[in-house]
Coordinates of all heavy atoms in Angstrom, one line a residue:
K15 N 3.4 40.2 4.8 CA 2.4 40.6 5.8 C 2.7 42.0 6.1 O 3.9 42.5 5.9 CB 2.5 39.7 6.9 CG 3.5 40.0 7.9 CD 3.4 39.2 9.2 CE 4.4 39.7 10.3 NZ 4.2 39.0 11.6
I16 N 1.7 42.8 6.6 CA 1.7 44.1 7.2 C 0.9 44.2 8.4 O -0.2 43.6 8.5 CB 1.3 45.1 6.1 CG1 1.5 46.5 6.6 CG2 -0.2 44.9 5.7 CD1 1.4 47.6 5.6
A22 N -8.8 54.3 18.3 CA -10.3 54.7 18.3 C -10.4 56.2 18.6 O -11.5 56.8 18.2 CB -11.0 54.0 19.4
F26 N -4.1 59.3 24.5 CA -3.2 58.3 24.8 C -3.8 57.1 25.3 O -3.5 55.9 25.0 CB -2.2 58.8 26.0 CG -1.3 57.7 26.5 CD1 -0.2 57.2 25.7 CD2 -1.6 57.0 27.7 CE1 0.7 56.3 26.1 CE2 -0.7 56.1 28.1 CZ 0.4 55.7 27.4
A28 N -6.6 55.9 24.2 CA -7.7 55.4 23.3 C -7.3 53.9 22.9 O -6.2 53.5 23.1 CB -7.5 56.2 21.9
T47 N -5.1 45.1 2.3 CA -5.1 46.2 3.3 C -6.2 47.2 3.0 O -6.9 47.6 3.9 CB -3.8 46.9 3.4 OG1 -2.8 45.9 3.7 CG2 -3.7 48.0 4.4
V48 N -6.3 47.6 1.7 CA -7.3 48.6 1.3 C -8.7 48.0 1.6 O -9.6 48.6 2.1 CB -7.2 48.8 -0.3 CG1 -8.4 49.6 -0.7 CG2 -5.9 49.6 -0.4
L54 N -13.6 48.1 7.8 CA -13.6 48.7 9.1 C -14.4 50.0 9.1 O -15.2 50.3 10.0 CB -12.1 49.0 9.6 CG -11.2 47.8 9.9 CD1 -9.9 48.2 10.2 CD2 -11.9 46.9 11.0
V59 N -16.2 49.6 12.8 CA -15.5 48.8 13.8 C -14.7 49.6 14.8 O -14.7 49.2 16.0 CB -14.5 47.7 13.1 CG1 -13.7 47.0 14.0 CG2 -15.3 46.8 12.3
L62 N -17.1 51.0 17.3 CA -17.7 50.0 18.1 C -16.7 49.5 19.2 O -17.0 49.3 20.3 CB -18.1 48.8 17.3 CG -19.5 49.0 16.5 CD1 -19.7 47.8 15.5 CD2 -20.6 49.1 17.4
S64 N -14.4 51.3 20.5 CA -14.2 52.4 21.5 C -15.4 52.3 22.4 O -15.2 52.5 23.6 CB -14.2 53.8 20.8 OG -14.1 54.7 21.7
Y74 N -16.4 48.4 35.6 CA -15.3 48.0 36.6 C -15.6 48.8 37.8 O -15.4 50.0 37.9 CB -13.9 48.3 36.0 CG -12.8 48.1 37.0 CD1 -12.6 46.8 37.4 CD2 -12.1 49.0 37.4 CE1 -11.6 46.6 38.4 CE2 -10.9 48.8 38.3 CZ -10.8 47.6 38.7 OH -9.7 47.3 39.7
A79 N -13.1 57.4 41.5 CA -13.7 58.5 40.9 C -12.7 59.3 40.1 O -12.9 59.9 39.0 CB -14.5 59.3 41.8
A84 N -10.3 61.7 35.5 CA -9.0 62.4 35.1 C -8.3 61.7 34.0 O -7.4 60.9 34.3 CB -8.1 62.5 36.3
F88 N -0.8 63.3 26.7 CA 0.6 63.6 26.5 C 0.9 65.0 26.6 O 0.1 65.9 26.1 CB 1.1 63.1 25.0 CG 1.5 61.7 24.9 CD1 0.7 60.8 24.1 CD2 2.6 61.3 25.5 CE1 1.2 59.6 24.0 CE2 3.0 60.0 25.4 CZ 2.3 59.2 24.6
G99 N -4.2 63.8 41.4 CA -4.3 62.9 42.4 C -3.8 63.4 43.7 O -3.7 64.6 44.0
R115 N 8.8 57.2 46.5 CA 9.9 56.8 47.5 C 10.4 58.1 48.2 O 10.4 59.2 47.6 CB 11.0 56.1 46.7 CG 10.6 54.8 46.3 CD 11.8 53.9 45.9 NE 11.3 52.7 45.2 CZ 11.6 52.3 44.0 NH1 12.4 53.1 43.2 NH2 11.1 51.2 43.5
W120 N 14.8 63.9 50.7 CA 14.3 63.9 49.4 C 13.0 63.0 49.2 O 12.8 62.1 50.0 CB 15.3 63.5 48.3 CG 15.8 62.0 48.6 CD1 16.9 61.8 49.2 CD2 15.3 60.9 47.9 NE1 17.1 60.4 49.3 CE2 16.1 59.8 48.5 CE3 14.2 60.6 47.2 CZ2 15.8 58.5 48.1 CZ3 13.9 59.3 46.9 CH2 14.8 58.2 47.4
E121 N 12.2 63.4 48.2 CA 11.0 62.6 47.8 C 11.1 62.5 46.3 O 11.3 63.5 45.6 CB 9.7 63.2 48.3 CG 9.6 63.3 49.8 CD 8.3 63.9 50.2 OE1 7.2 63.3 49.9 OE2 8.4 65.0 50.7
C125 N 9.8 55.5 37.8 CA 9.2 54.8 36.7 C 9.0 53.3 37.1 O 9.9 52.8 37.7 CB 10.1 54.8 35.5 SG 9.6 53.9 34.1
R128 N 10.3 47.4 34.6 CA 11.1 46.5 35.2 C 12.7 46.6 34.9 O 13.5 46.6 35.7 CB 10.8 45.1 34.8 CG 9.5 44.7 35.5 CD 9.1 43.2 35.1 NE 8.0 42.7 35.9 CZ 7.8 41.6 36.2 NH1 8.6 40.7 35.9 NH2 6.8 41.2 37.0
E132 N 15.1 50.7 30.6 CA 13.9 51.3 29.9 C 13.2 52.3 30.9 O 12.3 52.9 30.5 CB 12.9 50.1 29.7 CG 13.4 49.1 28.8 CD 12.4 47.9 28.6 OE1 11.3 47.9 29.2 OE2 12.7 47.0 27.9
W138 N 11.3 64.4 40.8 CA 11.7 64.8 42.1 C 10.8 65.8 42.6 O 10.2 66.7 42.0 CB 13.1 65.5 42.0 CG 14.1 64.4 41.6 CD1 14.6 64.3 40.3 CD2 14.8 63.4 42.4 NE1 15.5 63.2 40.2 CE2 15.6 62.7 41.4 CE3 14.7 63.0 43.7 CZ2 16.4 61.6 41.9 CZ3 15.5 61.9 44.1 CH2 16.3 61.3 43.3

Side-chain angles (χ1 to χ4, degrees):
K15 80 173 189 174
I16 185 171
F26 175 74
T47 300
V48 169
L54 291 174
V59 174
L62 286 172
S64 179
Y74 177 61
F88 270 117
R115 293 195 186 119
W120 60 268
E121 294 178 69
C125 174
R128 286 183 172 212
E132 296 176 5
W138 299 96

